[in-house]
Amino acid sequence: MVRRRRYAGAALAVLLTALTALAAAPPAGARDDGRRPTAVHPGLRPDLAAYYDFEHPVRGNPARERDRGFSGTDIDLVGGGARMRAPDGAHRGSRTSLQVRQVTPDAAGNDDWKAGVYSASGVPTLNAFNAVGGATVMGWFKMTGQNPSPNTNTAAPDDLYSAIGLAGVLSGDSDGHAVRALLELINVNGELRLVALGRRTDGAASQTFAASQDWRTLLPPGQWVFLAATFDFDSGEMALYRNGRPLDGFYTVPGDPWDLSGPGPHRTSATDPRGIKIGGSFPQNTREGNPCNCRMDSLMFLDRAVDAALVRAQYRLVTHKAAEE
């Protein structure tokens, strides 16, 4: 009788060990280095399609960054390669960020530092954003130089780009510029503003939600700021957040640019995005477009529009303080 109980106890221990290992295993398709990203709030992890902390170069190729989200979409550090990793973490627990910049402001060229991935046939690992009902782009940003940059695609020496690229998911028919969900600064009625820009249907009109506050106040030089943009493609609602708090703003396109008048639910085009762009357009490195002289850290791309409570929770997690008023 004692021996049977001993065998039963050993079998139970083996079963519990197996179940524990199964529960701890990463989701299918995830890139895992033996530990989960501790700088990500648990409420975000199930929807975190792509995540870049710029502390995980691809083995054997430091000019590429590993995706720590569930999609496994590694990105290229374009222009500067491994030199783009700056020893300047945005928050507690972070050691390294990404430096992007315009390299030659006084001459036409294509040598700007940016990051991302591109495929003209679509990026299959970004399938989470195929026919998706919502998206979120968030991360840390610090202005480190002149913004906006001189426009090297025009002849006028005093012409500036009309936008400053931050981070976004490309549309399914993008040439490297058009997006499905984007966080950036862009000219709105003659004034540069921080915006969330979304496009529900490939080739169709986009909608922009612009922050009312002056962008230079929102992103002062040399200061790390946590930004988030959310996109609900079913309801048409968009939102912007700074350091965990929602920003007042306004929609710039009247009418129904996302064509939501018909029966729902409404989703994006059933196409895989052609990539991700970070710090400017054209991640395939064919042209300079809207470069950002800035640093970025802990960039997150989620396949749903997260609510204000989760945005605030993520900010508080890595700063260990209440969101700013």
Side-chain angles (χ1 to χ4, degrees):
M1 181 67 68
V2 173
R3 181 175 298 176
R4 288 182 180 177
R5 288 177 179 173
R6 186 176 301 162
Y7 288 157
L12 179 60
V14 171
L15 178 60
L16 289 174
T17 300
L19 289 175
T20 301
L22 181 62
R31 301 294 181 87
D32 185 67
D33 60 359
R35 61 184 179 87
R36 304 181 81 177
T38 57
V40 177
H41 190 276
L44 298 178
R45 288 174 184 163
D47 307 292
L48 190 60
Y51 172 53
Y52 308 102
D53 60 10
F54 304 105
E55 296 183 8
H56 291 82
V58 170
R59 184 174 299 176
N61 188 356
R64 303 195 74 210
E65 176 69 13
R66 284 178 52 195
D67 176 14
R68 305 199 74 209
F70 67 72
S71 74
T73 307
D74 298 339
I75 57 173
D76 299 309
L77 308 187
V78 180
R83 292 176 296 159
M84 298 167 65
R85 301 179 193 277
D88 180 20
H91 54 81
R92 297 183 184 185
S94 175
R95 298 167 298 174
T96 305
S97 57
L98 175 74
Q99 177 73 60
V100 293
R101 66 187 181 98
Q102 184 180 57
V103 176
T104 311
D106 56 354
N110 183 37
D111 56 0
D112 57 320
W113 287 11
K114 54 196 169 190
V117 61
Y118 182 84
S119 172
S121 59
V123 177
T125 54
L126 293 175
N127 183 258
F129 298 101
N130 180 320
V132 73
T136 298
V137 179
M138 67 172 75
W140 290 84
F141 303 88
K142 178 199 277 190
M143 300 291 105
T144 59
Q146 178 184 352
N147 286 300
S149 299
N151 191 339
T152 59
N153 294 313
T154 64
D158 58 349
D159 189 21
L160 301 177
Y161 284 104
S162 61
I164 304 168
L166 296 180
V169 178
L170 300 179
S171 62
D173 61 350
S174 180
D175 61 351
H177 180 70
V179 292
R180 188 161 286 171
L182 175 69
L183 178 62
E184 76 167 354
L185 295 111
I186 196 170
N187 190 300
V188 177
N189 300 324
E191 185 175 355
L192 203 65
R193 292 187 182 275
L194 175 68
V195 306
L197 189 153
R199 177 177 287 102
R200 189 176 76 84
T201 304
D202 291 348
S206 63
Q207 177 61 284
T208 300
F209 181 78
S212 301
Q213 198 169 354
D214 190 297
W215 77 271
R216 290 159 293 196
T217 302
L218 297 174
L219 285 160
Q223 180 177 320
W224 280 110
V225 177
F226 180 63
L227 299 176
T230 62
F231 309 81
D232 188 325
F233 295 111
D234 188 32
S235 69
E237 293 183 2
M238 303 162 69
L240 285 168
Y241 301 84
R242 179 187 187 271
N243 288 351
R245 290 292 187 184
L247 292 172
D248 290 333
F250 56 94
Y251 294 96
T252 68
V253 182
D256 183 19
W258 284 1
D259 190 22
L260 302 178
S261 58
H266 302 285
R267 296 181 174 272
T268 64
S269 294
T271 56
D272 292 339
R274 288 191 174 182
I276 287 174
K277 66 176 184 178
I278 297 168
S281 292
F282 308 105
Q284 70 269 46
N285 201 25
T286 56
R287 174 177 174 156
E288 179 177 288
N290 302 331
C292 183
N293 291 298
C294 56
R295 287 178 182 168
M296 307 181 183
D297 197 3
S298 303
L299 298 183
M300 303 181 181
F301 301 85
L302 299 104
D303 62 352
R304 74 177 175 102
V306 304
D307 59 26
L310 267 178
V311 174
R312 185 167 185 254
Q314 174 60 32
Y315 174 73
R316 294 184 65 181
L317 174 71
V318 298
T319 58
H320 303 290
K321 64 181 180 180
E324 296 177 357
E325 295 299 329

